[in-house]
Amino acid sequence: MKRVGVLISGRGSNLAALIAAQRPDTYRIVLVIANRADAPGLGIAEAAGIPSCVIAHHGKTRETFDAEMDAALRAADVEIVALAGFMRILSDGFVRAWEGRMVNIHPSLLPAWRGTDVHARVIAAGETQSGASVHFVVPELDAGPVIAQDSVPVHPGDTPETLAARILAVEHRIYPAALTLLAQGKVRLEHGLAVFD
Ligand code: GRF
């Protein structure tokens, strides 16, 4: 059983999916950190009886903010970090410290469409497919090796909101599956690649 820390900034629906899928023989979420005190996801952690804290980023350098998160994660004996709608770019030092033990969910078929505002850009480009990806976190944004991915159709008339909702259902399915694989040691980061057993 691996001890997982989840970092959030907002709604927390992926956090809820990760909580629902935790098992005694895979992983347990032992800490939720939000960088915003008003993140609705904090209520999800509380309802599940999971310790949570707010580490605000305002007025701090990236390094100071990341050092505070690192200290909180280590104090809770966290072994794996899961970013779930966490909207801050992490310093290279923090990423390197957790490399191979930190994953993220991104709402596109990586390596396509990294960054923010994904659904509007996918629709504007006339894509007929999009999806979601779980990947190891590396210093370059949304560039880490993919652990799990699945696609959905983009329908004519889709808005960013309708497409986001279709993709969110995929996120909630693949994120717990990928975290379970990592916790079980069935996937690891090796020489910049995701290696599966
Ligand atoms: C998800 O779409 C995730 O892929 C993106 O931000 C959203 C977070 O949603 N990075 P939630 O907070 O997990 O509900």
Side-chain angles (χ1 to χ4, degrees), residues 52-81:
S52 65
C53 65
V54 176
I55 300 181
H57 60 268
H58 293 290
K60 293 171 191 164
T61 65
R62 209 176 282 293
E63 283 68 28
T64 302
F65 172 63
D66 288 3
E68 289 180 13
M69 285 200 300
D70 192 71
L73 292 166
R74 289 179 197 281
D77 291 321
V78 164
E79 299 168 284
I80 293 174
V81 176

Side-chain angles (χ1 to χ4, degrees), residues 10-15 84-85 87 104-107 119 168 171-172:
R11 181 177 52 183
S13 70
N14 278 288
L15 168 65
M87 299 302 287
N104 181 41
I105 179 90
H106 181 76
H119 307 304
L168 197 61
E171 296 183 36
H172 295 166

Side-chain angles (χ1 to χ4, degrees), residues 122-124 126-129 152-160 162-163 166:
V122 163
I123 291 168
E127 297 272 22
T128 56
Q129 280 216 315
V152 301
V154 180
H155 296 315
D158 258 340
T159 64
T162 58
L163 180 56
R166 194 172 307 123

